[in-house]
Amino acid sequence: ILCDVMMPEIDGPDFCRQLQRRSPELLSRVVLMTGGAFTASTISFVAEGKHELLEKPIDEERLEQVIEARIQGRRAAAA
């Protein structure tokens, strides 16, 4: 789940809190993206380091590595 940290209707931390309440099994799939965390709450949330963070502009090779790691992790968990 690729989630931008700063969005107009809901920010990344709020999204993750809602996901935790509704589908906590999906929370480990979240990868945050940011061009900068601009509020105190988003800066704090990113600093916690609970979710992998991709800095914008996103490097295509790095994005592929992150996605591949998630796929491999799911395969290992299913085996």
Side-chain angles (χ1 to χ4, degrees), residues 10-37:
I10 180 174
D11 63 16
D14 287 338
F15 171 79
C16 288
R17 283 189 282 277
Q18 288 187 25
L19 188 62
Q20 175 66 40
R21 284 192 298 272
R22 295 177 184 185
S23 301
E25 72 280 3
L26 299 178
L27 200 57
S28 65
R29 297 185 192 180
V30 173
V31 176
L32 300 174
M33 304 176 297
T34 189

Side-chain angles (χ1 to χ4, degrees), residues 4 9 13 18-19 23 35 38 42 48 56 67-69 77:
D4 204 324
E9 298 294 322
Q18 288 187 25
L19 188 62
S23 301
F38 301 109
T42 56
E48 290 175 4
K56 293 179 184 179
I67 291 171
E68 183 61 32

